[in-house]
Short mmCIF file of all heavy atoms in Angstrom, two decimals:
data_model
loop_
_atom_site.label_atom_id
_atom_site.label_comp_id
_atom_site.label_asym_id
_atom_site.label_seq_id
_atom_site.Cartn_x
_atom_site.Cartn_y
_atom_site.Cartn_z
N GLY A 582 77.80 104.91 92.37
CA GLY A 582 77.81 105.06 90.92
C GLY A 582 78.28 103.68 90.34
O GLY A 582 77.78 102.70 90.73
N HIS A 583 79.36 103.79 89.53
CA HIS A 583 79.84 102.65 88.77
C HIS A 583 81.33 102.70 88.75
O HIS A 583 81.85 103.76 89.02
CB HIS A 583 79.21 102.65 87.29
CG HIS A 583 77.73 102.88 87.27
ND1 HIS A 583 76.83 101.94 87.42
CD2 HIS A 583 77.02 104.07 87.14
CE1 HIS A 583 75.65 102.47 87.45
NE2 HIS A 583 75.65 103.80 87.27
N ARG A 584 81.82 101.58 88.25
CA ARG A 584 83.42 101.50 88.14
C ARG A 584 83.90 102.66 87.45
O ARG A 584 84.87 103.32 87.85
CB ARG A 584 83.73 100.23 87.42
CG ARG A 584 85.21 99.91 87.18
CD ARG A 584 85.36 98.84 86.30
NE ARG A 584 85.24 97.51 87.10
CZ ARG A 584 86.25 96.77 87.53
NH1 ARG A 584 87.47 97.20 87.22
NH2 ARG A 584 86.03 95.76 88.18
N GLN A 585 83.25 103.12 86.39
CA GLN A 585 83.70 104.24 85.62
C GLN A 585 83.73 105.55 86.35
O GLN A 585 84.64 106.37 86.31
CB GLN A 585 83.00 104.39 84.26
CG GLN A 585 83.01 103.37 83.29
CD GLN A 585 82.13 102.18 83.55
OE1 GLN A 585 81.54 101.99 84.61
NE2 GLN A 585 81.83 101.31 82.52
N THR A 586 82.64 105.67 87.10
CA THR A 586 82.49 106.96 87.78
C THR A 586 83.46 107.08 88.99
O THR A 586 83.99 108.01 89.38
CB THR A 586 81.08 107.30 88.34
OG1 THR A 586 80.74 106.38 89.33
CG2 THR A 586 80.05 107.31 87.21
N ARG A 587 83.65 105.85 89.59
CA ARG A 587 84.58 105.82 90.74
C ARG A 587 86.05 105.94 90.35
O ARG A 587 86.87 106.50 91.14
CB ARG A 587 84.53 104.33 91.48
CG ARG A 587 83.06 104.27 92.12
CD ARG A 587 83.01 103.05 93.00
NE ARG A 587 83.25 101.82 92.44
CZ ARG A 587 82.17 101.07 92.05
NH1 ARG A 587 80.95 101.38 92.21
NH2 ARG A 587 82.34 99.89 91.40
N ALA A 588 86.36 105.71 89.12
CA ALA A 588 87.74 105.91 88.70
C ALA A 588 88.06 107.34 88.63
O ALA A 588 89.15 107.76 88.60
CB ALA A 588 87.93 105.27 87.16
N ARG A 589 87.07 108.16 88.43
CA ARG A 589 87.31 109.71 88.30
C ARG A 589 86.74 110.39 89.55
O ARG A 589 87.47 111.48 89.91
CB ARG A 589 86.54 110.31 87.08
CG ARG A 589 87.06 109.80 85.78
CD ARG A 589 88.54 110.10 85.60
NE ARG A 589 88.89 111.57 85.49
CZ ARG A 589 90.06 111.98 85.57
NH1 ARG A 589 91.09 111.25 85.73
NH2 ARG A 589 90.28 113.29 85.51
N GLY A 590 85.70 110.03 90.19
CA GLY A 590 85.15 110.71 91.32
C GLY A 590 86.06 110.65 92.51
O GLY A 590 86.79 109.67 92.74
N THR A 591 86.06 111.70 93.27
CA THR A 591 87.05 111.92 94.36
C THR A 591 86.27 111.94 95.67
O THR A 591 85.06 112.25 95.69
CB THR A 591 87.83 113.22 94.24
OG1 THR A 591 86.85 114.33 94.33
CG2 THR A 591 88.62 113.32 92.89
N ILE A 592 86.94 111.65 96.78
CA ILE A 592 86.27 111.76 98.14
C ILE A 592 86.00 113.16 98.37
O ILE A 592 84.89 113.48 98.83
CB ILE A 592 87.17 111.07 99.17
CG1 ILE A 592 86.44 111.03 100.47
CG2 ILE A 592 88.57 111.60 99.32
CD1 ILE A 592 87.02 110.27 101.59
N GLY A 593 86.88 114.15 97.99
CA GLY A 593 86.70 115.44 98.40
C GLY A 593 85.57 116.12 97.56
O GLY A 593 84.76 116.83 98.09
N GLY A 594 85.35 115.63 96.23
CA GLY A 594 84.35 116.24 95.42
C GLY A 594 82.94 115.74 96.06
O GLY A 594 81.99 116.46 96.07
N SER A 595 82.86 114.47 96.37
CA SER A 595 81.59 113.89 96.96
C SER A 595 81.26 114.62 98.23
O SER A 595 80.12 114.91 98.50
CB SER A 595 81.85 112.40 97.11
OG SER A 595 80.58 111.83 97.57
N ILE A 596 82.20 114.74 99.09
CA ILE A 596 81.96 115.43 100.47
C ILE A 596 81.57 116.97 100.23
O ILE A 596 80.72 117.47 100.87
CB ILE A 596 83.09 115.08 101.41
CG1 ILE A 596 82.89 113.57 101.90
CG2 ILE A 596 83.08 116.03 102.59
CD1 ILE A 596 83.86 113.07 102.71
N SER A 597 82.34 117.56 99.37
CA SER A 597 82.09 118.95 99.14
C SER A 597 80.64 119.20 98.52
O SER A 597 79.96 120.25 98.71
CB SER A 597 83.11 119.65 98.19
OG SER A 597 84.41 119.43 98.63
N HIS A 598 80.23 118.32 97.56
CA HIS A 598 78.94 118.35 96.96
C HIS A 598 77.91 118.22 98.00
O HIS A 598 76.80 118.69 97.94
CB HIS A 598 78.95 117.31 95.90
CG HIS A 598 77.64 117.31 95.10
ND1 HIS A 598 77.12 118.41 94.45
CD2 HIS A 598 76.82 116.32 94.82
CE1 HIS A 598 76.02 118.13 93.75
NE2 HIS A 598 75.73 116.85 93.97
N PHE A 599 78.09 117.34 98.94
CA PHE A 599 77.32 117.11 100.10
C PHE A 599 75.82 116.62 99.76
O PHE A 599 74.93 117.21 100.33
CB PHE A 599 77.34 118.27 101.05
CG PHE A 599 76.96 117.95 102.44
CD1 PHE A 599 77.66 117.10 103.16
CD2 PHE A 599 75.80 118.49 103.05
CE1 PHE A 599 77.27 116.83 104.56
CE2 PHE A 599 75.44 118.15 104.36
CZ PHE A 599 76.27 117.36 105.21
N ASP A 600 75.71 115.70 98.88
CA ASP A 600 74.43 115.11 98.55
C ASP A 600 73.96 114.38 99.85
O ASP A 600 74.75 113.65 100.39
CB ASP A 600 74.51 114.26 97.34
CG ASP A 600 73.05 113.93 96.84
OD1 ASP A 600 72.44 113.06 97.56
OD2 ASP A 600 72.76 114.41 95.80
N PRO A 601 72.70 114.56 100.27
CA PRO A 601 72.17 113.86 101.40
C PRO A 601 72.20 112.36 101.26
O PRO A 601 72.30 111.67 102.29
CB PRO A 601 70.77 114.27 101.64
CG PRO A 601 70.40 115.00 100.36
CD PRO A 601 71.54 115.39 99.64
N SER A 602 72.30 111.84 100.04
CA SER A 602 72.33 110.31 99.86
C SER A 602 73.72 109.90 99.52
O SER A 602 73.92 108.62 99.41
CB SER A 602 71.50 110.04 98.63
OG SER A 602 70.18 110.34 98.86
N ALA A 603 74.75 110.76 99.46
CA ALA A 603 76.04 110.31 99.07
C ALA A 603 76.53 109.26 100.16
O ALA A 603 76.62 109.58 101.39
CB ALA A 603 77.00 111.50 98.94
#
Side-chain angles (χ1 to χ4, degrees):
H583 311 276
R584 177 186 283 254
Q585 293 87 338
T586 64
R587 294 192 293 266
R589 296 301 295 166
T591 62
I592 183 168
S595 183
I596 282 176
S597 305
H598 182 54
F599 203 62
D600 188 291
S602 295

